[in-house]
Amino acid sequence: MSILRYSYPTMLKRSKSLSYRQQVTSMTTVLMNFLVEHKLIVIEPFQEDGSLKDDLKLRSSYLTDLGNEFFKEVFPKWSAYIDRGGDIQKITILLKGLNKLQM
């Protein structure tokens, strides 16, 4: 069974606020770039023009074992940081969490 870890369309549907939708898009873009760069994902989350796929959903089967651990342990901390007004571009939490998982 493949567990749904993240759904970009569902996140966008939570609010019609343009600023919220821009924040979700920025957050998802940073997250997907991180996952691709660190080889934690086995699918391509971007379209040919570099934009996010509109129907992007991450299931546990689309992530490596380390990617699944990352989503369970690290992603919630970074998401909470952003919800408290943190800088989306600051990926220190993601890097430190990944390093800890790799030890």
Side-chain angles (χ1 to χ4, degrees):
M1 184 169 107
S2 190
I3 299 166
L4 182 64
R5 296 277 185 220
Y6 187 84
S7 173
Y8 178 55
T10 299
M11 293 290 289
L12 287 176
K13 288 179 188 172
R14 289 186 176 173
S15 175
K16 291 185 179 186
S17 161
L18 186 58
S19 63
Y20 171 82
R21 293 170 68 86
Q22 288 173 332
Q23 180 179 359
V24 166
T25 298
S26 294
M27 180 179 142
T28 305
T29 300
V30 168
L31 177 63
M32 293 306 128
N33 278 322
F34 185 88
L35 294 174
V36 168
E37 181 180 334
H38 295 279
K39 297 177 176 48
L40 302 174
I41 188 171
V42 297
I43 64 164
E44 178 54 56
F46 300 103
Q47 298 183 56
E48 287 184 22
D49 67 1
S51 64
L52 291 166
K53 291 184 177 176
D54 294 334
D55 61 348
L56 177 63
K57 292 182 182 179
L58 282 187
R59 299 194 168 277
S60 56
S61 60
Y62 302 164
L63 298 164
T64 64
D65 290 342
L66 183 58
N68 275 294
E69 285 301 311
F70 175 86
F71 249 87
K72 289 188 266 184
E73 302 292 326
V74 181
F75 174 71
K77 293 174 186 170
W78 183 66
S79 181
Y81 162 76
I82 291 169
D83 288 346
R84 293 189 308 271
D87 180 4
I88 291 171
Q89 300 301 320
K90 187 175 179 186
I91 59 169
T92 308
I93 293 171
L94 299 179
L95 287 170
K96 285 182 177 179
L98 179 59
N99 287 337
K100 190 180 277 188
L101 289 175
Q102 290 174 324
M103 291 181 158

